[in-house]
Amino acid sequence: MAFSLGSHFPFLAAYWQPVLLAALAAAVVHLLLERRRARTAAARPAPWRDESVSESAVDPAPPPPAEKTAARVPYRPARLGADEMVRRAEQFYRELNGRRSVRHFSREPVPRAAVEAAIRAAGTAPSGAHTEPWTFVLVESAEVKAAVRQIVEDEERVNYEKRMGAQWVQDLAPIGTDWRKEYLTEVPFLVLAFRHAYGVDERGERFTTYYNEISCHLACGLLLAALHQAGLATLTSTPLNCGPRLRRLLARPDNEKLVLLLPVGLPAADCTVPDFRRKPLDKIMAVC
Amino acid sequence: MAFSLGSHFPFLAAYWQPVLLAALAAAVVHLLLERRRARTAAARPAPWRDESVSESAVDPAPPPPAEKTAARVPYRPARLGADEMVRRAEQFYRELNGRRSVRHFSREPVPRAAVEAAIRAAGTAPSGAHTEPWTFVLVESAEVKAAVRQIVEDEERVNYEKRMGAQWVQDLAPIGTDWRKEYLTEVPFLVLAFRHAYGVDERGERFTTYYNEISCHLACGLLLAALHQAGLATLTSTPLNCGPRLRRLLARPDNEKLVLLLPVGLPAADCTVPDFRRKPLDKIMAVC
């Protein structure tokens, strides 16, 4: 049986050009709208992900200037008995379990050497290909602390009022936070941790800092432990959208991205913390 | 002067429909190609960013089941003298500075209670809105260790031979790594850290785990410190592209994403490590 477009679809046969035009025009409009949606979505990651802190695309960069020698040395740390291992692990747990995030600080000074030793401890963290992709800025000048506070409060006001959304603000209510950050000018020290999104060698050439985010975060974990071991209190704060302004204030180069802002000092005499419990071991560990 | 399409562009006047059709068809093809490029690019972040580990888009999720009480309790940790602060911070630094990533392990058993106490210590990390978004899987079964090793070696072989690129493999040469991971079946324990990309409450409802990546990484930093304090050695490994297979092997739910795989044990008697130095304080700290 012969098929004739005209006999089955006389309208299409007469008007195929305008019909095809309309269909193609609709496709173009659809694809343009889709592209716009994709761009909007890409510009809005999880709201607590500061875009200035997100992982940059990998550069086709030269190698890190890691020591290229394959020289190896024996590693023979002190061997502990089984009981001593358990005793030390449990003691360290009990010590760390006494740590709380503090938002009410005393103005009492603390020794800078203790904070420096804690930063040294942070610097012992492992890092991808041993690139050590971190800088810790120690702020002790009252003027710089005031400038940091100004930037953070500016942005936090917008965060709380516009960016975060009612749900998030409600979730934070039990913790008692808002946009005001008096503690930033009350503490003896601020420590700002920056990760290196890429490295720069002595000749000014860029190199790749593998796993720089998690490496710097691990270093910050060691820093929290070290400050606590030294009897110092801090607050693990992630100032949303403040990264670029704080980086410029502190004259850090382009490749450094703010990760954490830690006020460091002693708790105020009347310091209180929310009456939180931590999950028991069986809620955070599974055994296979 | 009157304008006539026919007199200026007689070809267009006669054939405007096929010309417009061709233009629209070209636009559709262009947009489709662009969409395909964008999807390919999105699927290829920095090569060491396992897509299964990347931050998921934020869900419009109900609140975390954080304790909603605003009850506050006094926080009065022990006060140390300034000299004692410095002494403790420097001692902790010296201890951590003795830590090295180990790739040659002994088969000697170590007490499970020490590893459990280290996991408890990790669980004291701060987290966004106190959601504690982490699970640590402790593997002690020889069969499960063998299955983990099989998955990791399968993927690592492809990573080293195809995904990582000559530069990265060359950068790792001084460290002496390749796709073989004997240590995964030699160590007494494996600890796999999973972050919770979102939470699930008792009723099965999802909730948002703010800052779950950095929170879990900080917990892992505490875990590294705790294992070291207990005299245990580990390797901070990030098994690329193994996350989903390991998650299924260990029967962890969909919301959990693999962050680190840590073999835990004692260094082999003949263990060696690359002769690396750590950066001095003035290379990792800036003062303002």
Side-chain angles (χ1 to χ4, degrees):
Chain A
M1 194 175 78
F3 179 84
S4 151
L5 185 70
S7 62
H8 288 78
F9 302 99
F11 175 82
L12 267 188
Y15 297 106
W16 70 270
Q17 280 195 338
V19 166
L20 195 53
L21 270 177
L24 281 173
V28 167
V29 167
H30 169 81
L31 286 167
L32 285 173
L33 284 175
E34 183 187 74
R35 183 170 72 162
R36 189 167 158 191
R37 270 197 306 274
R39 285 184 181 174
T40 311
R44 273 199 222 138
W48 61 89
R49 296 266 301 182
D50 187 332
E51 70 274 21
S52 68
V53 180
S54 67
E55 188 70 48
S56 61
V58 66
D59 284 312
E67 296 160 60
K68 287 297 176 201
T69 169
R72 299 186 71 88
V73 291
Y75 181 57
R76 297 204 185 86
R79 298 241 161 178
L80 308 177
D83 290 350
E84 179 67 0
M85 285 182 181
V86 176
R87 194 193 66 72
R88 289 181 58 141
E90 290 183 345
Q91 184 190 325
F92 189 66
Y93 159 65
R94 279 193 304 274
E95 288 167 1
L96 285 195
N97 198 33
R99 189 199 58 77
R100 293 298 306 262
S101 290
V102 164
R103 287 177 173 80
H104 308 110
F105 285 89
S106 159
R107 291 179 180 272
E108 288 171 79
V110 300
R112 175 169 150 177
V115 184
E116 289 186 354
I119 291 172
R120 278 182 207 265
T124 69
S127 58
H130 194 56
T131 51
E132 304 173 271
W134 43 65
T135 303
F136 298 92
V137 180
L138 179 66
V139 178
E140 56 180 356
S141 140
E143 291 71 33
V144 179
K145 280 186 258 177
V148 168
R149 178 175 171 183
Q150 183 70 51
I151 290 173
V152 173
E153 291 192 337
D154 275 3
E155 293 288 340
E156 283 288 87
R157 198 163 189 163
V158 181
N159 291 335
Y160 273 81
E161 290 172 1
K162 297 192 180 149
R163 295 186 189 124
M164 289 163 56
Q167 184 62 63
W168 192 0
V169 172
Q170 184 187 318
D171 292 349
L172 288 174
I175 297 173
T177 63
D178 64 21
W179 60 266
R180 272 169 289 256
K181 313 286 172 188
E182 289 91 350
Y183 56 77
L184 291 175
T185 47
E186 287 169 353
V187 285
F189 293 104
L190 303 177
V191 176
L192 292 96
F194 289 84
R195 69 179 173 90
H196 298 187
Y198 53 88
V200 181
D201 68 15
E202 298 78 25
R203 295 160 302 154
E205 306 260 350
R206 294 181 179 197
F207 59 85
T208 304
T209 45
Y210 305 102
Y211 294 99
N212 64 75
E213 280 191 313
I214 189 170
S215 301
C216 186
H217 297 167
L218 292 172
C220 289
L222 300 188
L223 181 60
L224 294 181
L227 291 170
H228 183 71
Q229 289 301 89
L232 294 167
T234 187
L235 170 68
T236 316
S237 86
T238 48
L240 199 61
N241 295 307
C242 299
R245 288 177 72 188
L246 290 174
R247 180 179 68 71
R248 287 190 292 271
L249 172 71
L250 303 173
R252 300 311 306 163
D254 282 354
N255 64 320
E256 299 191 6
K257 310 295 177 191
L258 183 65
V259 167
L260 286 181
L261 165 53
L262 303 171
V264 175
L266 296 169
D270 60 352
C271 174
T272 60
V273 292
D275 191 14
F276 282 162
R277 295 283 173 272
R278 292 191 170 115
K279 291 179 184 172
L281 184 62
D282 65 355
K283 295 288 184 199
I284 67 167
M285 184 179 79
V287 180
C288 289
Chain B
M1 192 177 79
F3 179 83
S4 151
L5 184 68
S7 63
H8 288 78
F9 302 100
F11 176 82
L12 265 190
Y15 297 106
W16 69 271
Q17 280 195 338
V19 165
L20 195 53
L21 269 177
L24 281 174
V28 167
V29 168
H30 170 79
L31 286 167
L32 285 172
L33 284 175
E34 183 186 74
R35 183 170 72 162
R36 189 167 157 191
R37 271 197 305 275
R39 285 184 181 173
T40 311
R44 274 198 222 138
W48 61 88
R49 295 267 301 183
D50 187 332
E51 71 273 20
S52 69
V53 181
S54 68
E55 189 70 49
S56 61
V58 66
D59 285 311
E67 297 161 59
K68 288 298 175 201
T69 168
R72 298 187 72 87
V73 291
Y75 180 58
R76 296 204 185 86
R79 298 242 161 177
L80 309 177
D83 289 349
E84 179 66 1
M85 284 182 182
V86 176
R87 193 193 66 74
R88 290 182 56 140
E90 291 183 345
Q91 183 189 325
F92 189 66
Y93 159 65
R94 281 193 302 273
E95 288 167 0
L96 285 195
N97 198 33
R99 189 199 58 77
R100 292 297 307 263
S101 291
V102 164
R103 288 177 173 81
H104 308 110
F105 285 90
S106 159
R107 291 179 179 272
E108 287 171 79
V110 300
R112 176 168 149 177
V115 184
E116 288 186 355
I119 291 173
R120 280 181 206 264
T124 68
S127 58
H130 193 56
T131 51
E132 303 173 271
W134 43 65
T135 303
F136 299 93
V137 179
L138 179 66
V139 177
E140 56 179 357
S141 139
E143 290 72 32
V144 179
K145 279 186 259 178
V148 168
R149 179 175 169 183
Q150 182 70 51
I151 290 173
V152 172
E153 290 192 338
D154 275 3
E155 294 289 340
E156 283 289 85
R157 198 163 188 161
V158 181
N159 291 335
Y160 273 81
E161 291 174 359
K162 297 192 180 150
R163 294 187 189 123
M164 289 163 56
Q167 184 63 64
W168 192 0
V169 172
Q170 184 188 318
D171 291 350
L172 289 174
I175 297 174
T177 64
D178 63 21
W179 61 266
R180 271 169 291 257
K181 312 288 172 188
E182 290 91 349
Y183 55 77
L184 291 176
T185 47
E186 288 169 353
V187 285
F189 294 104
L190 303 176
V191 176
L192 292 96
F194 290 83
R195 69 178 172 91
H196 298 187
Y198 54 88
V200 181
D201 69 16
E202 298 79 24
R203 296 160 302 155
E205 306 259 350
R206 292 181 180 197
F207 59 85
T208 304
T209 45
Y210 305 101
Y211 295 100
N212 63 76
E213 281 192 311
I214 190 170
S215 301
C216 186
H217 297 169
L218 292 171
C220 288
L222 300 188
L223 181 60
L224 293 180
L227 291 170
H228 183 71
Q229 289 301 88
L232 294 167
T234 188
L235 170 68
T236 315
S237 86
T238 48
L240 199 60
N241 296 307
C242 300
R245 288 177 71 188
L246 290 174
R247 181 179 68 70
R248 286 190 292 271
L249 172 72
L250 303 173
R252 300 312 306 163
D254 282 353
N255 64 320
E256 299 191 5
K257 310 293 178 193
L258 182 65
V259 167
L260 287 181
L261 165 53
L262 303 172
V264 175
L266 296 170
D270 60 352
C271 174
T272 61
V273 293
D275 192 15
F276 282 162
R277 295 283 175 272
R278 293 193 169 114
K279 292 178 184 172
L281 185 62
D282 65 355
K283 295 287 184 197
I284 65 167
M285 186 180 78
V287 180
C288 289

